[in-house]
């Protein structure tokens, strides 16, 4: 695992894996496994599979020869269908500096990390006027899951309104024309 800064100010952990002969690597599964034993900030944002690690003439790891990861989802692209999905796909793409994000794309598989989560949460609040927690995005990392979580949060807010509802102030209307003047 190395810390890469492919864009100035945007540091991300990237894991490089050389699988055993004939074995395949499922990056999403590997990230999940690491997430069960490491804090989220220590889980690589991307896993890159290599045939072999690049070495210097001295036999040490040649960090400069490690390829940059391709930030893409393990899912096929599925376009947004609702205005909410379109807004969230746009926010994900904007924060992750990607051309497009589909509704099934996982924020963390696309290179998201805890610092970028805070940006998404604040932009959701600004654009949709819905306050969510950082934890919500960790628990619902795809646009589709996040839309469902936001809908549930809104339903919870509606259920918390007291049964008596809102009170409307009573205004006395003038009984004669003289009082109106």
């Amino acid at each position: 695992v190395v810390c890469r800064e492919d864009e100035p100010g945007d540091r991300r952990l990237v894991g490089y894996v050389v699988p055993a002969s004939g074995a395949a690597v499922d990056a999403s599964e590997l990230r999940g496994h690491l997430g069960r034993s490491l804090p989220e900030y220590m889980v690589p944002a991307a896993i890159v599979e290599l045939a072999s690690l690049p070495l210097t003439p001295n036999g040490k790891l040649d960090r400069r020869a490690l390829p940059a990861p391709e930030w893409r989802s393990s899912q096929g692209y599925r376009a947004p269908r609702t205005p909410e999905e379109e807004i969230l796909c746009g926010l994900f793409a904007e924060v992750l500096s990607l051309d497009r994000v589909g509704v099934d794309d996982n924020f963390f598989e696309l290179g998201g990390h805890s610092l970028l989560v805070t940006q998404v949460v604040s932009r959701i609040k600004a654009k949709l006027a819905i306050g969510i927690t950082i934890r919500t995005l960790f628990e619902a990392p795809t646009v589709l899951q996040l839309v469902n979580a936001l809908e549930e949060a809104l339903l919870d807010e509606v259920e918390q309104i007291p049964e008596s509802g809102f009170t409307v102030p009573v205004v006395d209307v003038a009984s004669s024309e003289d009082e109106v003047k």
Side-chain angles (χ1 to χ4, degrees), residues 12 31 40 44-46 71-75 88-98 101-121 124 134 136-146:
R12 300 180 191 193
R31 287 187 79 253
E40 182 61 35
W71 301 108
R72 58 184 161 80
S73 176
S74 58
Q75 306 290 323
L88 292 175
C89 285
L91 289 176
F92 276 26
E94 183 181 316
V95 168
L96 295 168
S97 301
L98 298 173
V101 172
V103 295
D104 299 311
D105 292 341
N106 185 303
F107 180 79
F108 300 103
E109 288 178 6
L110 296 174
H113 52 76
S114 57
L115 295 175
L116 293 177
V117 168
T118 59
Q119 289 183 30
V120 170
V121 167
I124 287 172
I134 291 172
T136 304
L137 190 54
F138 278 102
E139 293 173 350
T142 69
V143 168
L144 197 55
Q145 292 170 332
L146 189 55

Side-chain angles (χ1 to χ4, degrees), residues 51-91:
S52 64
L53 292 174
L55 302 176
T56 65
N58 295 337
K60 295 182 179 182
L61 178 65
D62 187 354
R63 292 174 185 262
R64 286 186 248 171
L66 291 169
E70 291 182 23
W71 301 108
R72 58 184 161 80
S73 176
S74 58
Q75 306 290 323
Y77 176 77
R78 197 160 59 121
R81 300 161 301 195
T82 66
E84 294 82 9
E85 289 176 358
E86 193 170 324
I87 289 169
L88 292 175
C89 285
L91 289 176

Side-chain angles (χ1 to χ4, degrees), residues 100-180:
R100 70 178 189 179
V101 172
V103 295
D104 299 311
D105 292 341
N106 185 303
F107 180 79
F108 300 103
E109 288 178 6
L110 296 174
H113 52 76
S114 57
L115 295 175
L116 293 177
V117 168
T118 59
Q119 289 183 30
V120 170
V121 167
S122 68
R123 291 178 191 199
I124 287 172
K125 186 174 183 177
K127 200 139 197 159
L128 298 175
I130 300 172
I132 65 168
T133 64
I134 291 172
R135 182 182 191 111
T136 304
L137 190 54
F138 278 102
E139 293 173 350
T142 69
V143 168
L144 197 55
Q145 292 170 332
L146 189 55
V147 166
N148 291 333
L150 292 174
E151 287 173 358
E152 287 177 23
L154 286 175
L155 286 176
D156 288 344
E157 285 181 22
V158 169
E159 289 175 2
Q160 292 176 8
I161 296 174
E163 281 187 36
S164 62
F166 299 101
T167 58
V168 178
V170 177
V171 179
D172 287 334
V173 178
S175 58
S176 73
E177 290 182 15
D178 292 336
E179 292 178 17
V180 174

